[in-house]
Amino acid sequence: MSERSYAILGTGALGGFYGAKLQKAGLNVHFLLRSDYEYVKKSGLLVESIDGDFTLTQVNAYDDVAKMPQCDVVVVSLKTTQNHLLPQMLPPVVKENGVVLVLQNGLAVEEEVAKIVDNVTIIGGLCFLCSNKVAAGHISHLDYGQITLGEYAANYNPMGITPRMQQIADDFTNAGIAIELTEDLLLGRWKKLVWNIPYNGLSVILNARTDELMANMHTRELVEQVMYEVSAGAKTAGRVIAESFIQTMLDYTVKMKPYRTSMKIDYDERRPLEVEAIFGNPLRKAEAAGVDLRLIRCLYQQLKFLDMRDG
Amino acid sequence: MSERSYAILGTGALGGFYGAKLQKAGLNVHFLLRSDYEYVKKSGLLVESIDGDFTLTQVNAYDDVAKMPQCDVVVVSLKTTQNHLLPQMLPPVVKENGVVLVLQNGLAVEEEVAKIVDNVTIIGGLCFLCSNKVAAGHISHLDYGQITLGEYAANYNPMGITPRMQQIADDFTNAGIAIELTEDLLLGRWKKLVWNIPYNGLSVILNARTDELMANMHTRELVEQVMYEVSAGAKTAGRVIAESFIQTMLDYTVKMKPYRTSMKIDYDERRPLEVEAIFGNPLRKAEAAGVDLRLIRCLYQQLKFLDMRDG
């Protein structure tokens, strides 16, 4: 049994799911909540999952980081649109020499965390998870769930597989969550953007599911062109994404069940969109290297319009 | 008084308006209609206009070109989405050595006409008109109305100001319609696209009026970038659009009343969109010259998706 304690900053569809799985496996988990605090403190968490439903009748629930114990591993599972809260949230809850595990979408989020806390290990996690929060304390896990972990270092220098990563991976694996380890977090993040940028963007802009985007020859072509632009962006960071990876993502999406992307769900629920983390940061990174990602910029501009008008 | 007879192929918001103005000025006008034929044959045309309302109680209405007399000037005022009908429609109704006046949006429409009829003069007209058909035989003219005329020659070689253009211009001017003459029809068409491509496209894709697009800094920037791409497209045809023209179009649109573009109206009414004439043809012309207009292609792909799904 691990001695490590976990803090979950953001107990939504993602943080709630992984946190509940860790607690169910016997770990000491502390959940930060906002709107669901009263309900969860009283009634716990319910997870409906394709891997089997379960209930946690009692959880350590908090409505304020100041009341939380310092934890060995602090999981950042807020939406990136809430990252302006991190400078207040993170320092009180993370132990000296502890770990901050960033389970967020997009690029450069670990850099932001590194500016806030010292003497911690920062690990990035790329989640392939399809889950929704359907009611207070009630999470519905529909599909997938694996996480790719990579350790962050300044300038995203590849760190290889570190013991710290391995420890976290063991905790998650014991909790029934599939883990892959990557030696190069930044490459992993750019590869995830190959999927996230075209599908999240176009699903919102065109009010479409993945299957509709792939069934029309024009949007299928646009998706592919945007993927190649993401690959060009990765190249400005010295990361190479093989053409075969792009073809695999296209084939994989054609075979997937019709899927409403997470950004489309946010848009439909009138929540703020993660435009800056998923589109703005890659754009700015490439721009700083002298490369203009024109299609991604076009999607960014369209999404900013929709987010500011409808969010 | 002019001796010229006019045929109006497509008696909608545009053809109905100009045709009615010509008849009101005393010209001999013949209207081709489809769904409104019975009504207009019986009850005529009503034009509500900022320049003054008027009614034509009796008009020459036809439901078939075969029943129409051959006319000196045949006005093509169908939507370009109907241009597949032109090979049957045009030859019976245009006089030997007559004029075909193409009052349509987009690029390369005169080229299509030139493939269909010989021994005629082809003149293109760029209409700056804001009007709607609000009911059968009932047209509402909201704003503007001027037409820029230019004569077509093979390869869009500039023809200067020809006597034929001047004759047509006189008929329209006598009917109270402001006319400008251009020596270079192709330049005129590309200049019109500077406005039409960004605003028509983004108004449909983002469900937005012109004022909303200009009020948001991101879409305002996108509009400008698309305008520069149209200018790059014009350059592949050897036509130069000054930067000051782009700034004028931006300023002019900011000062305009909030405006729902014609393509947005078509989309809202679930009519087919003029994507090929306005976006596809410029794209293909530039591509043939070795230039990829990436933003315009992106808008084209997005619009094709929406048109095929919702049209």
Side-chain angles (χ1 to χ4, degrees):
Chain A
M1 173 71 62
S2 156
E3 299 294 310
R4 277 176 292 283
S5 57
Y6 278 77
I8 307 289
L9 301 189
T11 307
L14 186 139
F17 173 69
Y18 289 121
K21 294 281 275 186
L22 292 168
Q23 175 172 335
K24 182 164 173 274
L27 287 166
N28 182 19
V29 185
H30 301 269
F31 296 90
L32 181 70
L33 297 115
R34 216 172 24 178
S35 53
D36 297 352
Y37 167 70
E38 294 291 347
Y39 181 89
V40 171
K41 187 178 175 64
K42 192 169 151 242
S43 311
L45 288 167
L46 163 64
V47 177
E48 284 184 301
S49 168
I50 48 161
D51 302 331
D53 303 350
F54 64 96
T55 309
L56 303 175
T57 50
Q58 201 146 24
V59 303
N60 301 311
Y62 305 85
D63 62 352
D64 185 348
V65 279
K67 300 176 188 162
M68 298 178 81
Q70 289 200 320
C71 291
D72 297 300
V73 183
V74 177
V75 177
V76 177
S77 47
L78 301 162
K79 290 269 179 184
T80 54
T81 49
Q82 299 295 305
N83 280 5
H84 56 281
L85 302 174
L86 288 179
Q88 297 155 270
M89 275 183 159
L90 265 184
V93 75
V94 60
K95 268 195 191 153
E96 181 89 8
N97 298 315
V99 172
V100 176
L101 175 60
V102 183
L103 300 186
Q104 292 190 309
N105 279 317
L107 208 65
V109 285
E110 292 86 7
E111 273 181 354
E112 290 177 41
V113 169
K115 284 178 201 153
I116 298 167
V117 282
D118 291 321
N119 300 321
V120 298
T121 300
I122 301 173
I123 295 175
L126 314 170
C127 302
F128 299 84
L129 172 70
C130 181
S131 74
N132 297 311
K133 203 188 78 177
V134 291
H138 183 173
I139 288 151
S140 170
H141 169 222
L142 301 170
D143 215 347
Y144 309 106
Q146 71 272 27
I147 305 178
T148 299
L149 296 180
E151 189 163 324
Y152 172 76
N155 300 316
Y156 282 97
N157 286 327
M159 289 290 284
I161 309 295
T162 65
R164 269 313 190 58
M165 281 165 66
Q166 197 60 65
Q167 287 167 2
I168 307 270
D170 289 347
D171 287 345
F172 277 82
T173 307
N174 289 336
I177 295 154
I179 294 288
E180 236 183 84
L181 300 178
T182 177
E183 304 189 349
D184 185 347
L185 174 62
L186 188 60
L187 175 60
R189 287 218 168 268
W190 276 104
K191 284 173 87 168
K192 192 163 186 219
L193 291 173
V194 167
W195 198 93
N196 268 343
I197 285 181
Y199 292 110
N200 276 292
L202 292 171
S203 68
V204 170
I205 294 162
L206 299 175
N207 185 28
R209 291 185 316 266
T210 52
D211 59 313
E212 294 177 288
L213 295 172
M214 295 310 278
N216 180 289
M217 62 171 280
H218 300 284
T219 40
R220 195 203 171 288
E221 187 184 73
L222 177 56
V223 164
E224 184 168 345
Q225 289 162 349
V226 172
M227 285 182 171
Y228 275 98
E229 227 184 62
V230 177
S231 167
K235 215 171 164 190
T236 67
R239 266 49 173 197
V240 176
I241 295 174
E243 281 198 30
S244 61
F245 179 78
I246 288 174
Q247 291 310 315
T248 302
M249 285 296 104
L250 292 168
D251 296 344
Y252 156 86
T253 310
V254 168
K255 286 179 201 135
M256 261 169 57
K257 284 180 280 192
Y259 186 62
R260 193 164 63 124
T261 68
S262 61
M263 187 172 274
K264 182 63 164 69
I265 294 171
D266 284 339
Y267 184 68
D268 291 345
E269 305 279 334
R270 302 213 152 226
R271 290 193 292 254
L273 306 182
E274 298 191 284
V275 187
E276 293 303 338
I278 299 178
F279 294 80
N281 288 344
L283 263 184
R284 287 182 282 265
K285 291 290 181 190
E287 196 175 31
V291 173
D292 185 18
L293 305 176
R294 297 193 70 162
L295 293 177
I296 298 173
R297 184 180 301 279
C298 177
L299 300 183
Y300 170 81
Q301 291 161 322
Q302 293 178 332
L303 289 168
K304 287 298 281 185
F305 176 84
L306 294 172
D307 188 40
M308 290 161 84
R309 187 184 63 184
D310 305 328
Chain B
M1 174 71 61
S2 155
E3 300 293 311
R4 277 176 292 284
S5 57
Y6 278 77
I8 307 290
L9 301 189
T11 308
L14 185 139
F17 172 71
Y18 289 120
K21 294 282 275 187
L22 291 168
Q23 174 171 336
K24 182 164 173 275
L27 288 167
N28 182 18
V29 185
H30 302 269
F31 295 89
L32 181 70
L33 296 116
R34 215 171 25 178
S35 52
D36 297 352
Y37 167 70
E38 293 292 345
Y39 181 89
V40 171
K41 187 177 174 64
K42 192 170 151 240
S43 311
L45 287 167
L46 163 64
V47 177
E48 285 183 300
S49 169
I50 48 160
D51 302 330
D53 304 349
F54 65 94
T55 308
L56 304 175
T57 50
Q58 200 146 26
V59 303
N60 302 311
Y62 306 85
D63 62 352
D64 186 347
V65 279
K67 300 175 188 164
M68 297 177 81
Q70 290 199 319
C71 291
D72 297 299
V73 183
V74 177
V75 177
V76 178
S77 46
L78 302 162
K79 290 270 179 185
T80 53
T81 49
Q82 299 295 306
N83 279 6
H84 57 280
L85 303 174
L86 289 178
Q88 298 154 271
M89 275 184 160
L90 266 183
V93 77
V94 61
K95 268 195 190 153
E96 181 91 8
N97 297 317
V99 172
V100 176
L101 175 60
V102 184
L103 300 187
Q104 292 188 310
N105 279 318
L107 208 66
V109 285
E110 292 86 6
E111 273 180 355
E112 291 176 40
V113 170
K115 285 178 200 154
I116 298 168
V117 282
D118 291 321
N119 299 322
V120 298
T121 301
I122 300 172
I123 295 176
L126 314 170
C127 303
F128 299 84
L129 172 70
C130 179
S131 74
N132 297 310
K133 202 187 77 177
V134 291
H138 182 174
I139 288 151
S140 170
H141 169 223
L142 301 170
D143 215 347
Y144 308 107
Q146 71 271 29
I147 304 178
T148 300
L149 295 180
E151 189 162 324
Y152 171 76
N155 300 317
Y156 282 98
N157 286 327
M159 289 290 284
I161 309 295
T162 66
R164 269 314 188 61
M165 281 164 67
Q166 196 61 65
Q167 288 168 1
I168 307 270
D170 289 348
D171 287 346
F172 276 82
T173 306
N174 289 336
I177 295 155
I179 294 288
E180 236 184 84
L181 301 178
T182 176
E183 303 190 349
D184 186 347
L185 175 63
L186 188 60
L187 176 60
R189 286 218 168 268
W190 276 105
K191 284 172 87 168
K192 191 161 188 221
L193 291 173
V194 167
W195 197 93
N196 269 342
I197 284 181
Y199 292 110
N200 275 292
L202 292 171
S203 68
V204 170
I205 295 162
L206 299 175
N207 184 28
R209 291 185 316 267
T210 51
D211 58 314
E212 295 177 287
L213 296 173
M214 295 310 278
N216 180 288
M217 61 170 280
H218 300 284
T219 40
R220 194 203 172 288
E221 187 184 73
L222 178 55
V223 163
E224 184 168 346
Q225 288 163 349
V226 172
M227 285 182 171
Y228 274 98
E229 226 184 62
V230 177
S231 168
K235 215 170 164 189
T236 67
R239 266 52 173 194
V240 176
I241 295 174
E243 280 197 32
S244 61
F245 180 78
I246 289 174
Q247 291 310 315
T248 302
M249 284 297 103
L250 292 169
D251 295 344
Y252 156 85
T253 309
V254 168
K255 286 179 200 134
M256 262 170 56
K257 284 181 279 192
Y259 186 62
R260 194 163 63 122
T261 68
S262 61
M263 186 171 275
K264 182 63 165 69
I265 293 170
D266 284 340
Y267 185 67
D268 290 345
E269 305 278 335
R270 303 213 151 226
R271 290 193 292 255
L273 306 182
E274 299 191 283
V275 186
E276 293 303 338
I278 300 178
F279 295 79
N281 289 344
L283 263 184
R284 288 183 281 267
K285 290 290 181 190
E287 195 173 32
V291 172
D292 185 18
L293 306 175
R294 297 193 70 164
L295 293 177
I296 298 173
R297 184 179 301 281
C298 177
L299 300 183
Y300 171 81
Q301 291 161 323
Q302 292 178 333
L303 290 168
K304 288 297 282 186
F305 176 84
L306 294 173
D307 188 40
M308 291 162 83
R309 186 184 63 184
D310 306 327

